Amino acid sequence: MCGFVGILGLNGIHVDACVIKQMTAALRHRGPDDQGIYVSGPVGVGFRRLSILDLSTAAHQPMFSHDGQLVLVYNGEIYNYVELRQELEALGHRFDSSGDTEVLLHAYQEWDTECLHRLNGM
């Protein structure tokens, strides 16, 4: 099962990438297939991946939107991701991976927090 970590620095404190790397390394047992971190100012996230739905590197996390404005780490499963992907493709979205993580990212881009009402999963 995958795992992720995160830090939000308050009062202008910037996140140290070394700390995120150490935290992510501590989760190696949760995801031996891949790892990644993202740090920008007061935000830092790390991810350990156990590849299940999409075994390719296209499903690497943290995952970025095509325009680079959004970054996502996610651990769960969206059961209706195939149907949501089809709906999003009809709206003009293009996908690089075949799993549910990128569907979640595009769903948020399209519907903002209302996307949560469309998700069936955990």
Side-chain angles (χ1 to χ4, degrees):
M1 180 177 296
C2 302
F4 64 90
V5 300
I7 298 176
L8 176 61
L10 302 176
N11 300 320
I13 295 173
H14 288 248
V15 173
D16 183 345
C18 292
V19 172
I20 292 293
K21 286 179 184 175
Q22 290 172 342
M23 292 169 65
T24 303
L27 295 180
R28 179 166 174 37
H29 65 285
R30 302 242 355 195
D33 298 328
D34 192 17
Q35 66 179 342
I37 70 163
Y38 170 79
V39 176
S40 179
V43 175
V45 293
F47 190 80
R48 290 297 309 208
R49 180 172 171 220
L50 176 63
S51 302
I52 297 174
L53 290 178
D54 185 336
L55 306 181
S56 76
T57 58
H60 175 80
Q61 291 189 48
M63 184 176 284
F64 295 85
S65 59
H66 287 126
D67 63 8
Q69 295 298 304
L70 300 174
V71 61
L72 172 71
V73 290
Y74 158 75
N75 183 19
E77 186 175 355
I78 301 170
Y79 306 135
N80 62 332
Y81 79 96
V82 173
E83 295 85 358
L84 289 172
R85 179 186 174 123
Q86 292 170 345
E87 186 176 352
L88 289 160
E89 287 175 328
L91 292 169
H93 292 263
R94 61 180 173 83
F95 291 82
D96 297 318
S97 69
S98 62
D100 58 352
T101 302
E102 190 176 13
V103 171
L104 177 57
L105 186 58
H106 283 270
Y108 180 78
Q109 280 185 297
E110 183 66 33
W111 301 303
D112 201 67
T113 57
E114 288 300 311
C115 74
L116 299 174
H117 300 289
R118 296 172 172 265
L119 305 176
N120 177 13
M122 59 176 180

